Amino acid sequence: MRAYGRRHRAWQRRHSQPLMLVADEPSLIAELARLLYRYRSELAPFTTAAALFITAAFLHLSHPTAWPWILGATAAVITRALTRGERLEERIYAATATACAGAWLAIAVTAGPWHGPLPTLLIVGTLAGAVPWWAHRRRRARVRVDRAIQAWPDIADSIGLAGSRVMSAVVDVWGWRARIKLNNGQTVADVISRVPAIESGLGTRTGAVRVEADPAHAGRAIVRVLAQDPHAGAIPWRGPSVQSIADPIELGVFEDAAAVKVSLLRKHVLIGGTTDSGKSGVLNNILGNLAACPDVVLWGIDLKGGMELRPWASCLARLATTPAEAAALLRDGVRVLNARAEAQSRNGSRTWTPTSQTPALVIVVDEYAELVEQAATAVESAESIARRGRAVAVTLLAANQRPTQKSMGGGALRSQMSVRICLRVRERRDVDLILDNGMLSAGWHAHTLDAPGKFYLLADGQTQPRRARAYLVTDDDVQATAARYADTRPTLDALSDAALQEPDDEPVIEGELIDPEVTLTMALRDAPSDGLSVPELMHLTGMGRTWIYDRLQTRAEHGTARQVSRGRWRAD
């Protein structure tokens, strides 16, 4: 039996069973400590009052004559609070709370904190100071930020950014922003692609999170959370912000309240966005500022009968509303460009400096796609200006709904646009059409813009996807601004004006350019028996395919033209 017992104990030592430890429920003290830590910001007035009472009791017993030192320290703290606070109401609150606490502490050190009405005054003062403290927006925002930082590791694990951490966080006017240290192998593009998941994890509203790259480190991202939309309401235009085209124009404000400023000197501009996105507002903003500049001449092209640009007619040196007028205007723009380039070459100067005597020339084209469709011959002139006009201060400002390669007449012109303003678009892919390839994946989410006038700006010094809202320019603003500056608009310099007086190589009838309708009639009448093809008619009239088909269909309905064979036409 003893041998069996020894063998049994040896077997138990070798094959001991695992123990399962059952943890007790969290104790009341631990749960209370957790709640106190979680709501430490809300309880700050009471913890401050308790600290004052304990301090007063200690000093009353050990240094009852220390009250002059207390009052001196209180005065120093009040002075600092009045000069260092961010907002006036915050400075007043801090100074008042400090004065009351210092006065109570000085009296309590002398008489004892339990003497007479001092305990009652401490309780009443604490409650009175707690109300504005609890209601203060920035304090509540800091609490939310602190809780978001604590929850970020769990959120990051659940959305595929495991290992990332919050390095710092700052509360601002509209919300808060944090600098995120990404794990090895993670990029800012990974964070941008997970913006909806971040919004869900933080419990924010849809569209509240913005992500930008940290210019100082590729492995970091700046995440901005907006508690409310700073651009929820329209921002009234305050009038022209510049007096020279060399000055940056103020278009609107970013979400951090910083002004959106962009220089248009020697810059071609593209404004893109769907219907009702606010293109006209941005265009009016730019025209209103340029109208106030005595060193820039404005020409306009509006093939919708002048509906958009005619209110600015008094400030426009020329306004083209027909395809023939548009083609002539752009040809004249090339003439000005050539004359200035020749003069610069003779003078050995590289750039044209705009002044009131030698102004810049800005050609504004509303709905550029209409120009491509209705005046195909004008596209070549526009592309020439886009390629060569910057140095001699002859630039284009084109607005278009969807600037595809076809609607822009080819890729040459769009590639020259160095300032791009992208308003709301219908499809995600349109972001890359307006801004550039890859911008959608880089966080330029113009398809999520939810109000007219909200836009992204891509220009020199503006390479981060920061949302902005343009100033609202009303019809009354347009009329008042146009009337104010109509009599002070400059004229072209003598050199440019002389270039426009040279004979035109284009065909002329009685001093006017040949009407493409007349050209089409003559071409169909003189067509051979097998007719003319649509490309041949486009070449002869200088008009686009859509224009040709519309006219041919109308003429066929009226019996003045017929289709001889597939795609070939002649007069009937």
Side-chain angles (χ1 to χ4, degrees), residues 45 56 96 187 282 325 328 364 376 383 404 425 433 457 473 485 525 535:
T96 303
T187 65
V282 175
E325 292 174 347
V364 181
E383 291 184 351
T404 61
V425 296
L433 289 176
L457 171 65
V473 183
Y485 296 103
R525 184 193 62 191

Side-chain angles (χ1 to χ4, degrees), residues 23-68:
D24 295 334
E25 291 295 327
S27 65
L28 179 61
I29 295 177
E31 185 66 19
L32 180 61
R34 188 186 67 82
L35 291 175
L36 290 175
Y37 179 79
R38 178 177 177 83
Y39 295 102
R40 61 190 182 281
S41 178
E42 290 83 350
L43 296 174
F46 299 105
T47 55
T48 302
L52 281 175
F53 189 90
I54 295 172
T55 302
F58 174 78
L59 292 178
H60 175 69
L61 296 175
S62 59
H63 301 86
T65 59
W67 61 268

Side-chain angles (χ1 to χ4, degrees), residues 256-322:
D256 59 0
V260 181
K261 294 185 177 182
V262 58
S263 175
L264 300 185
L265 177 60
R266 304 187 189 92
K267 300 287 195 308
H268 299 301
V269 183
L270 174 62
I271 304 173
T274 187
T275 305
D276 296 328
S277 62
K279 290 194 306 296
S280 297
V282 175
L283 194 60
N284 285 333
N285 189 332
I286 295 175
L287 285 171
N289 279 280
L290 294 180
C293 299
D295 56 358
V296 57
V297 170
L298 296 172
W299 290 358
I301 298 176
D302 185 356
L303 297 185
K304 293 187 295 184
M307 182 174 61
E308 293 293 340
L309 298 185
R310 195 171 295 281
W312 293 103
S314 60
C315 294
L316 299 176
R318 293 176 64 174
L319 176 60
T321 58
T322 67

Side-chain angles (χ1 to χ4, degrees), residues 6 8 59 67 87 99 201 263 377 424 463 469 535 542:
R6 287 194 298 270
H8 181 69
L59 292 178
W67 61 268
R87 300 168 65 91
S263 175
T377 56
R424 184 178 70 249
T463 57
R469 182 154 192 176

Side-chain angles (χ1 to χ4, degrees), residues 404-422:
T404 61
Q405 183 171 347
K406 179 181 179 181
S407 68
M408 295 298 290
L413 185 139
R414 187 177 60 176
S415 64
Q416 299 295 328
M417 299 297 187
S418 54
V419 175
R420 303 192 183 194
I421 300 172
C422 182

